Amino acid sequence: MSRSVSEPATHTSDQPDVYGPVESELAEVERILKSELRSDHPYVDELVRYGCLIGGKRLRPTLLLLTAKAIGEMKQAHLVLGAVVEMIHTATLVHDDVLDEADTRRHLATVNSRWDNKASVLLGDYLFTHSFYLASTIGSAWACQEIGRATNIVCEGELRQKGCRGDFALSESEYFEIIAAKTAELTACSCRLGAHYAGASEEVVEQLTKFGRDLGIAFQIVDDVLDLQGEEVTTGKSLGTDLEQQKPTLPIIHALANHSPEKREELLLLLSSDTAPSREALLPWLSEYDSIEYAYQTAKQFAASALKNLDCLEESDATNTLRLIASFVVERTR
Amino acid sequence: MSRSVSEPATHTSDQPDVYGPVESELAEVERILKSELRSDHPYVDELVRYGCLIGGKRLRPTLLLLTAKAIGEMKQAHLVLGAVVEMIHTATLVHDDVLDEADTRRHLATVNSRWDNKASVLLGDYLFTHSFYLASTIGSAWACQEIGRATNIVCEGELRQKGCRGDFALSESEYFEIIAAKTAELTACSCRLGAHYAGASEEVVEQLTKFGRDLGIAFQIVDDVLDLQGEEVTTGKSLGTDLEQQKPTLPIIHALANHSPEKREELLLLLSSDTAPSREALLPWLSEYDSIEYAYQTAKQFAASALKNLDCLEESDATNTLRLIASFVVERTR
């Protein structure tokens, strides 16, 4: 199960090579992560090194580096900021796993299951604070502000989501707002930083920010669908946690909006019962109005919207790979 | 029990007025905290507003503002940074209360007892990230770096402490290192920021940093003593949690070092048993070699060492108040 600490997720047959154009830069990001996430104290060292392993796909640094390469010059700041956004992402994952009481993530035991919740809370804090320190080392208050704001929006989104647990009256637009905050803000920020430090105009920076945001929304919709009907062996993480936590996600919001009033009440009872329904028990409710398919179509619309924002870029391997990622996020099975 | 959100802790008969010279600036810090810690979303809003209430003594902004006033010009940056260090402190308290499973803090229900652990984790994250965003708004990457580094050291100290639970072989010097990191780094950083932005020379900035560090160490030693023998009604928080968590603190390290080998084994068994000893059961073990008094004397030495670093300051109300705080931290009962 274990991978070496310095190894980024490699592509497999069902996944296009989205790392190719920035392979050497991603290896440098891994080196930065590895050299930053260590401690002289054995207990701390073991824990923070484990933090290197958890992120997995390295989507955010990949977006940051590809955006930079698509626009122009790759700088040292990009490599450092790639490590920063990955650290922030990992911090949110580690704290998410406490919130979700999840056991597995990327085929690895979660920190809360391998150590305990307290270790998870402190490791997440360590990663957040280290990422802010690391961001400051490039000497730009602008980067610190963009990263601080984005990360705070992520936390506000997580809090909103927590406040909405069991609230199956949540509207589609509220759902989009929440995932735009908790997930898409950091992918947007990654593209924004990549573009800005590559010397893009303000207008292009805004367009790539929008690319990252729409992509992040599409990504999260699919993530929520996989939680309902993905396979644990493929996704490599605990699934069905949204049902246990009574989180309203897009297929469920769609099903509730389409069933007859009587059926709707029945579905609400099922979703709100003390013992969460199994994923299998829920699937007939979702298939009647093609609610899973509806969610996929919606994700595709966001991915298409994301793609439009790449028209400002010149053709290159990096530009093509950004397009590939936008297609892949809605086709992925993990 | 409740206090209004904007009201800083007021001084009472057993506590000197340490706010006097910076009263109007502290009120401004409160206004900043109040205006920053809010949300358009009711669930988030209620939670983050509660975050304003928890810090209590406002020790860190007070140190930052007094240092600034003792040196020279008070700037807008000082007020913003006062709110920043208080937010960071509150974030660590909120997460500490999850770790300690504490019910009460500053006479208020802790977030984990009033909401739940998940709300505490997210509120702490919100406060950390908002503090970093707010720090960046003064436009200085130096401030972001100092704050990022200090906060990361705090987290590393917390992790080290967690790794040392049940390790009653911990030496005095390791204990000092841990509290220097988890507590004194933020008081040191507060004084450092206050001095730097008031235009102090590098040498004076270093001396005031050392003042803040020694003061923080003295403060934490006393905090640990109060956990063993303070009164909950006076301190306003759950006590005895260090024993429950098997944290080795100075009086215990001293007692273990002084008892005979046989008695030492007996004490170790008591401390390590599945059901933590009551504070009452432990006191005879601590009184035999005056271990509580030893801890107080050690705190006094750190406070005296802190005071020496104030010799570089001109006489003023602010300078005198910094001295008063150094005396007070070892005499306080809450």
Side-chain angles (χ1 to χ4, degrees):
Chain A
M1 289 296 223
S2 69
R3 293 191 290 121
S4 83
V5 171
S6 60
E7 181 192 356
T10 49
H11 73 284
T12 56
S13 55
D14 69 329
Q15 186 182 334
D17 178 14
V18 298
Y19 306 114
V22 288
E23 209 170 341
S24 64
E25 290 87 353
L26 271 173
E28 188 54 38
V29 168
E30 290 299 319
R31 271 191 290 277
I32 295 171
L33 284 170
K34 199 175 173 181
S35 77
E36 292 291 327
L37 295 179
R38 53 164 308 286
S39 167
D40 292 336
H41 309 293
Y43 176 85
V44 184
D45 195 52
E46 193 187 352
L47 199 57
V48 301
R49 278 173 189 274
Y50 201 72
C52 263
L53 289 173
I54 307 167
K57 288 189 282 281
R58 308 301 195 222
L59 173 64
R60 289 141 196 90
T62 303
L63 287 172
L64 192 151
L65 297 171
L66 284 171
T67 306
K69 192 152 260 185
I71 283 168
E73 198 187 344
M74 181 80 73
K75 303 209 179 95
Q76 179 62 23
H78 287 113
L79 306 176
V80 173
L81 293 171
V84 166
V85 295
E86 184 63 20
M87 249 182 236
I88 292 169
H89 171 59
T90 307
T92 64
L93 290 188
V94 170
H95 282 181
D96 272 357
D97 287 337
V98 184
L99 309 186
D100 293 343
E101 290 155 22
D103 295 326
T104 313
R105 161 86 70 184
R106 299 275 324 155
H107 299 287
L108 288 169
T110 56
V111 176
N112 42 310
S113 69
R114 178 162 160 178
W115 282 268
D116 54 33
N117 276 344
K118 298 174 186 186
S120 295
V121 172
L122 291 177
L123 174 59
D125 291 353
Y126 181 95
L127 292 168
F128 270 131
T129 56
H130 201 85
S131 73
F132 287 112
Y133 162 71
L134 188 59
S136 74
T137 62
I138 69 165
S140 151
W142 183 84
C144 295
Q145 188 158 353
E146 291 298 316
I147 290 165
R149 179 195 288 128
T151 312
N152 195 230
I153 289 172
V154 169
C155 292
E156 191 177 21
E158 295 261 13
L159 275 168
R160 272 188 83 182
Q161 181 174 65
K162 170 153 174 30
C164 291
R165 284 191 185 177
D167 173 13
F168 291 103
L170 193 79
S171 70
E172 244 188 56
S173 66
E174 287 169 312
Y175 167 79
F176 292 139
E177 277 177 29
I178 289 172
I179 64 174
K182 76 159 192 161
T183 305
E185 195 61 35
L186 192 56
T187 49
C189 179
S190 299
C191 296
R192 186 173 183 80
L193 293 167
H196 175 85
Y197 285 101
S201 69
E202 265 188 46
E203 192 188 343
V204 170
V205 170
E206 290 308 323
Q207 282 186 280
L208 284 158
T209 305
K210 192 161 176 337
F211 166 78
R213 183 166 290 116
D214 285 343
L215 181 82
I217 294 172
F219 182 91
Q220 187 59 51
I221 293 171
V222 174
D223 220 54
D224 290 348
V225 171
L226 289 175
D227 191 75
L228 285 170
Q229 68 150 30
E231 289 175 25
E232 294 201 351
V233 66
T234 317
T235 59
K237 62 180 183 180
S238 304
L239 295 176
T241 58
D242 292 345
L243 288 176
E244 286 160 23
Q245 306 288 332
Q246 302 193 336
K247 278 188 209 167
T249 57
L250 190 54
I252 288 167
I253 294 167
H254 180 264
L256 284 167
N258 283 278
H259 276 286
S260 67
E262 295 74 25
K263 287 289 228 178
R264 186 174 189 278
E265 285 308 307
E266 211 180 310
L267 176 54
L268 277 174
L269 275 176
L270 183 69
L271 292 167
S272 311
S273 74
D274 287 343
T275 49
S278 70
R279 306 193 305 154
E280 292 69 28
L282 204 68
L283 285 182
W285 292 91
L286 300 177
S287 65
E288 193 156 345
Y289 294 94
D290 289 328
S291 298
I292 296 277
E293 180 57 22
Y294 172 78
Y296 271 121
Q297 289 306 323
T298 309
K300 277 190 185 165
Q301 285 166 22
F302 277 102
S305 168
L307 278 175
K308 282 189 200 147
N309 292 287
L310 298 183
D311 292 346
C312 60
L313 297 178
E314 285 178 27
E315 289 307 314
S316 70
D317 275 1
T319 303
N320 272 331
T321 307
L322 287 171
R323 287 202 190 97
L324 201 61
I325 292 177
S327 311
F328 178 64
V329 290
V330 289
E331 285 158 18
R332 71 200 176 97
T333 54
R334 63 200 184 96
Chain B
M1 289 298 220
S2 69
R3 296 191 287 121
S4 83
V5 171
S6 62
E7 182 192 353
T10 50
H11 72 284
T12 56
S13 54
D14 69 331
Q15 186 182 337
D17 178 13
V18 298
Y19 306 114
V22 288
E23 208 170 344
S24 64
E25 290 88 353
L26 271 172
E28 188 54 38
V29 168
E30 290 299 319
R31 272 192 289 277
I32 294 171
L33 283 170
K34 199 176 173 181
S35 76
E36 292 290 329
L37 295 179
R38 53 164 308 286
S39 167
D40 292 336
H41 310 292
Y43 175 84
V44 185
D45 195 52
E46 193 187 351
L47 198 58
V48 300
R49 278 173 189 274
Y50 200 71
C52 263
L53 288 172
I54 306 166
K57 288 190 282 281
R58 307 302 195 221
L59 173 64
R60 289 142 197 89
T62 303
L63 287 172
L64 191 152
L65 297 171
L66 284 171
T67 305
K69 192 153 262 186
I71 284 169
E73 198 187 343
M74 181 79 73
K75 303 209 179 91
Q76 179 63 23
H78 288 114
L79 306 175
V80 173
L81 294 172
V84 166
V85 294
E86 185 63 19
M87 247 181 237
I88 291 168
H89 171 60
T90 308
T92 65
L93 289 187
V94 170
H95 282 182
D96 273 356
D97 287 338
V98 184
L99 309 187
D100 294 343
E101 290 154 21
D103 295 327
T104 313
R105 163 84 72 181
R106 301 274 325 155
H107 300 287
L108 288 169
T110 55
V111 176
N112 42 311
S113 68
R114 181 162 159 180
W115 283 267
D116 54 32
N117 277 343
K118 298 175 186 188
S120 295
V121 172
L122 291 176
L123 175 59
D125 291 351
Y126 182 94
L127 292 168
F128 271 130
T129 56
H130 201 85
S131 74
F132 287 112
Y133 163 70
L134 188 58
S136 74
T137 63
I138 69 165
S140 150
W142 184 85
C144 295
Q145 188 158 354
E146 291 299 316
I147 290 164
R149 179 194 288 129
T151 313
N152 194 229
I153 290 172
V154 169
C155 293
E156 191 178 21
E158 295 262 12
L159 275 169
R160 272 188 83 181
Q161 181 173 66
K162 171 151 174 29
C164 292
R165 284 192 185 175
D167 173 13
F168 290 105
L170 193 79
S171 70
E172 241 187 61
S173 66
E174 287 169 313
Y175 167 79
F176 292 139
E177 276 177 29
I178 289 172
I179 65 174
K182 76 160 193 161
T183 305
E185 195 62 35
L186 193 56
T187 51
C189 179
S190 300
C191 295
R192 185 173 184 80
L193 293 168
H196 175 85
Y197 285 100
S201 68
E202 265 187 48
E203 192 188 343
V204 169
V205 170
E206 290 308 322
Q207 281 185 281
L208 284 157
T209 305
K210 191 162 177 341
F211 166 78
R213 183 166 290 118
D214 286 341
L215 181 82
I217 294 172
F219 182 92
Q220 187 59 50
I221 293 172
V222 173
D223 220 54
D224 290 347
V225 171
L226 289 174
D227 192 75
L228 285 170
Q229 69 151 26
E231 289 175 25
E232 292 200 350
V233 66
T234 316
T235 59
K237 61 179 182 180
S238 305
L239 296 176
T241 57
D242 292 344
L243 288 176
E244 286 160 23
Q245 305 290 331
Q246 302 193 335
K247 278 188 210 169
T249 58
L250 190 54
I252 288 168
I253 293 167
H254 180 265
L256 284 168
N258 283 278
H259 276 288
S260 66
E262 295 74 24
K263 286 291 229 177
R264 187 174 188 277
E265 285 308 307
E266 210 180 312
L267 177 52
L268 277 174
L269 275 176
L270 184 70
L271 292 166
S272 310
S273 75
D274 286 345
T275 50
S278 70
R279 305 195 304 154
E280 293 69 28
L282 204 68
L283 285 182
W285 291 91
L286 300 176
S287 64
E288 194 157 342
Y289 293 94
D290 289 329
S291 300
I292 296 277
E293 180 57 23
Y294 172 78
Y296 271 121
Q297 289 306 325
T298 309
K300 277 190 185 163
Q301 285 166 21
F302 277 102
S305 167
L307 277 175
K308 282 189 199 146
N309 293 288
L310 298 183
D311 293 346
C312 60
L313 298 177
E314 286 178 26
E315 290 305 314
S316 70
D317 276 2
T319 303
N320 272 331
T321 307
L322 286 171
R323 286 201 191 98
L324 200 61
I325 292 177
S327 312
F328 178 64
V329 289
V330 290
E331 284 158 18
R332 71 202 176 95
T333 54
R334 66 202 184 93

